[in-house]
Amino acid sequence: MTDTAALSVHGLRVSFSGRPVLKDVQFEVAAGEFCALIGANGSGKTTLLKAILGLLRPQSGEVRIEPGAAGARIGYVPQKISIDPYLPLRSRDVVALGLDGARWGWPRRSRADDARVQEMLEAVGAIEFAERRVGQLSGGQQQRVLIAHALVRRPRLLLLDEPLANLDVRSTAEIVALLRRLSAQYRTAVLLSAHDMNPLLAVIDRIVYLASCCAVSGKADEVIRTEVLSRLYGYHVDVVRVHGRVVVIAAHEPEEIRAALARDPVHTAQVP
Amino acid sequence: MHLLELIVPPGFLANGPVHTALIVGAGAAVVSAIVGVFTVMRGQSFAGHALADVSSAGGSAAFLLGLNPLLGFLGVAALAAGGMEWADVRDARERDLVTGVMLGVGLGLTALLLYLGTIRGSTSGAAIAILFGSMFTIPASLIPLALTVAGVALVAIAAIYRPLLLSSLSADLAQAQGARVRRMGLVHALALALAVSLAAMTVGAILSTALLIGPAAAALRFADRPGRALGWAVAIGWAATWGGILLAYDSFYWTPGHGWPVSFFIVVLIFIGYLLAGLAGRRPARQGLERPA
Ligand SMILES: Nc1ncnc2c1ncn2[C@@H]1O[C@H](COP(=O)(O)OP(=O)(O)O)[C@@H](O)[C@H]1O
Ligand SMILES: [Mg+2]
């Protein structure tokens, strides 16, 4: 592992009842790097993040994490959690639980703790709804609160599992920009899973691409190329630059879609 | 003075059984309300109810053997709670099924034990007392044990307070943060067993759910932070319990010769509290629905 790596994963292998989901996954994320973990549904993104967190035990392999400041483990935003609207926790309470939620005993929070919570709420733009119950917030607002919860102890590494799923275009852009800014501000490495890389292309330093149980990793500008991505996806895609933005589009319908259409044809309306 | 006498009838406070009922009832109400808030938040209301029903087997066994019924309730409830946590069924549906089957077995056992008790004592008083409570017949000697049980349950909940809150948000999140969620789940289940046993002693095994779930559910309609939810649940449960005792005592004057059961009044008061809380909590709920998801 290089000196600057916030996370290094070596020969990671995870299987569920004999069926391998990850085999020989290997990659590194440098300190402060903003990294996208891309893969189709069921490709093992959640499994990989849980293995990094220690929530599941891999069959073999090694995960090394740069030790953070005292007590700061990995920040984690889990995949779509549905929060009961009547859960008696305000945004502020959720962020405070990021400080000490795992500890036994009755909470005793100091002025300094309150100040850190307040600062974190400000940093993610959650002041407006700091006193409202989290279960009653919109999806984008909940993401902000969960990000504040994950970052309040200033971990060196932040893992987010599909934080952009279920967000509209505008909230997606806001959350991506927020994460990029926080990552730079706190020098926190970010590993964010997504099935669509388009909203992330402008901001990521690195891509880890998961397919058929293996990971391919590289600097964003090395991977976001027509020939590299086409090889990864298994069908031809174009990397296009329009209005200063990078977009990945499939040149033809991918094989799976063509096959599905052939089985179940769509009757398109006649346009006069 | 006249008004006070209208509400608090003569002799109420000087009455020994009333004293005991007030003390044990308060203990049961406070513990049930606090444990209940977390039980509701964790979505384990059904498990709480099942635990109470199963514990009635212990209560009736203790009655048959002439032991302290609270010990009977406690022993069986703690065993069942430990078993449920040990089995560690994650899937919610599966958990409901296992809980339901267990509930059936427990009540079946209760039916047998109470039947045997009826043959021996040729009275159905025990069945009513165990299933639906009989607060004015609680012996004063039970007070120290009841208060100890209440204290232990409260200390247990205080110990796991923060991981409980965090895991009610997401168990994965709690575990990723280093909380020992299984140990915490076990402690909560045991506290639930204590709460349910105390409630079973007072309002009966079947109605203990009302004391456990009702005040908590009412408080969660409008309380927006954990401390307030606990405070309101305690206030509602406690007020309903003492109010119920008072009304039951009064009822001796309504229908001379026999009063109405305390449990009935407590349950009615809790229900009223729940309805009022629903009114108080309507606004935030509507706002929640109007916002885009
Ligand atoms: N606990 C589990 N038991 C068995 N199979 C699992 C389990 N968790 C995930 N899987 C399987 O592992 C594969 C990868 O799942 P996951 O990591 O959730 O994918 P992704 O997050 O990329 O959608 C899927 O085929 C899924 O069915
Ligand atoms: Mg996933």
Side-chain angles (χ1 to χ4, degrees):
Chain A
M1 148 166 162
T2 47
D3 293 342
T4 52
L7 166 72
S8 82
V9 175
H10 260 282
L12 192 73
R13 183 186 183 86
V14 178
S15 43
F16 291 112
S17 37
R19 201 173 56 87
V21 174
L22 304 172
K23 46 187 184 200
D24 199 31
V25 167
Q26 195 137 329
F27 67 93
E28 280 190 359
V29 178
E33 224 174 16
F34 197 96
C35 177
L37 171 61
I38 305 292
N41 291 330
S43 59
K45 302 183 293 295
T46 300
T47 305
L48 174 56
L49 294 181
K50 286 191 171 174
I52 294 171
L53 284 160
L55 292 182
L56 58 83
R57 190 188 291 274
Q59 265 69 39
S60 61
E62 193 187 11
V63 172
R64 276 201 274 174
I65 297 142
E66 184 200 349
R73 290 169 50 89
I74 310 173
Y76 176 45
V77 178
Q79 186 167 14
K80 61 162 188 320
I81 60 176
S82 60
I83 306 172
D84 177 4
Y86 289 112
L87 192 70
L89 291 175
R90 302 163 299 163
S91 308
R92 186 180 294 286
D93 301 318
V94 171
V95 178
L97 283 173
L99 277 179
D100 59 8
R103 287 204 218 129
W104 302 122
W106 196 255
R108 287 177 300 272
R109 287 179 188 129
S110 63
R111 283 259 170 88
D113 291 338
D114 291 342
R116 283 175 82 181
V117 169
Q118 178 72 14
E119 186 194 331
M120 207 58 239
L121 284 164
E122 278 164 17
V124 300
I127 286 296
E128 230 179 287
F129 41 89
E131 316 303 328
R132 294 229 319 260
R133 276 179 276 188
V134 272
Q136 302 188 353
L137 302 176
S138 73
Q141 289 171 327
Q142 283 182 359
Q143 284 297 350
R144 282 174 194 267
V145 174
L146 290 173
I147 290 167
H149 167 98
L151 285 179
V152 69
R153 281 204 292 174
R154 300 281 188 277
R156 309 304 326 144
L157 176 64
L158 172 63
L159 305 182
L160 304 102
D161 201 353
E162 305 240 15
L164 307 178
N166 308 322
L167 292 188
D168 57 37
V169 179
R170 184 181 163 165
S171 306
T172 298
E174 283 176 359
I175 294 294
V176 169
L178 172 70
L179 285 170
R180 173 79 258 196
R181 176 168 59 74
L182 293 172
S183 164
Q185 192 175 337
Y186 302 137
R187 251 188 98 59
T188 301
V190 172
L191 180 62
L192 172 160
S193 81
H195 53 262
D196 177 16
M197 65 173 82
N198 273 327
L200 297 160
L201 290 177
V203 298
I204 46 180
D205 304 316
R206 175 174 293 276
I207 287 184
V208 176
Y209 187 88
L210 265 187
S212 44
C213 311
C214 294
V216 182
S217 149
K219 290 260 177 216
D221 45 8
E222 290 164 9
V223 177
I224 306 171
R225 287 188 186 173
T226 299
E227 66 281 9
V228 179
L229 285 182
S230 297
R231 191 147 33 80
L232 285 177
Y233 279 119
Y235 51 83
H236 186 84
V237 296
D238 281 311
V239 176
V240 193
R241 277 153 225 280
V242 271
H243 302 302
R245 290 192 309 138
V246 189
V247 193
V248 175
I249 42 175
H252 304 292
E253 282 147 357
E255 197 52 51
E256 293 92 334
I257 295 182
R258 237 182 307 164
L261 280 176
R263 279 195 304 273
D264 195 2
V266 179
H267 301 284
T268 44
Q270 290 293 315
V271 181
Chain B
M1 192 57 215
H2 271 310
L3 188 67
L4 191 68
E5 263 182 25
L6 257 181
I7 302 170
V8 181
F12 181 72
L13 290 173
N15 186 304
V18 168
H19 249 173
T20 308
L22 287 174
I23 294 171
V24 176
V30 169
V31 172
S32 293
I34 286 180
V35 175
V37 166
F38 292 105
T39 304
V40 171
M41 272 163 58
R42 290 167 66 74
Q44 293 185 346
S45 311
F46 184 49
H49 176 72
L51 218 49
D53 284 0
V54 170
S55 77
S56 65
S60 35
F63 176 77
L64 197 62
L65 300 172
L67 299 173
N68 183 335
L70 180 53
L71 288 177
F73 282 120
L74 265 177
V76 173
L79 267 181
M84 264 159 62
E85 283 303 309
W86 178 75
D88 191 31
V89 185
R90 289 288 165 89
D91 180 59
R93 221 180 88 88
E94 184 72 20
R95 210 181 158 100
D96 269 5
L97 295 181
V98 172
T99 307
V101 169
M102 205 185 66
L103 177 157
V105 173
L107 276 181
L109 206 55
T110 306
L112 173 67
L113 292 167
L114 287 178
Y115 172 71
L116 294 178
T118 320
I119 295 177
R120 272 254 295 284
S122 65
T123 163
S124 60
I128 296 283
I130 282 164
L131 296 178
F132 300 105
S134 166
M135 282 185 99
F136 291 141
T137 62
I138 300 174
S141 59
L142 197 83
I143 292 176
L145 178 62
L147 292 185
T148 307
V149 168
V152 171
L154 292 182
V155 168
I157 289 293
I160 56 173
Y161 181 71
R162 284 174 287 183
L164 266 180
L165 288 178
L166 188 55
S167 68
S168 67
L169 195 62
S170 153
D172 270 349
L173 202 59
Q175 215 176 345
Q177 217 168 300
R180 305 214 184 79
V181 285
R182 276 205 75 176
R183 203 172 298 179
M184 178 208 74
L186 181 63
V187 174
H188 170 259
L190 292 177
L192 182 58
L194 297 182
V196 153
S197 309
L198 263 185
M201 266 314 285
T202 51
V203 289
I206 289 186
L207 292 182
S208 66
T209 309
L211 211 51
L212 184 77
I213 304 305
L220 288 173
R221 299 304 286 188
F222 59 88
D224 62 354
R225 53 188 90 178
R228 287 186 187 174
L230 294 175
W232 275 107
V234 165
I236 293 167
W238 194 335
T241 303
W242 278 16
I245 293 171
L246 188 61
L247 286 172
Y249 189 89
D250 276 347
S251 71
F252 278 100
Y253 296 95
W254 308 345
T255 45
H258 53 87
W260 298 20
V262 186
S263 308
F264 165 73
F265 291 109
I266 295 179
V267 169
V268 166
L269 290 176
I270 288 174
F271 183 61
I272 292 171
Y274 181 73
L275 291 181
L276 292 178
L279 291 179
R282 232 173 49 191
R283 238 175 23 146
R286 272 248 287 283
Q287 277 173 13
L289 288 179
E290 277 164 17
R291 240 165 268 128

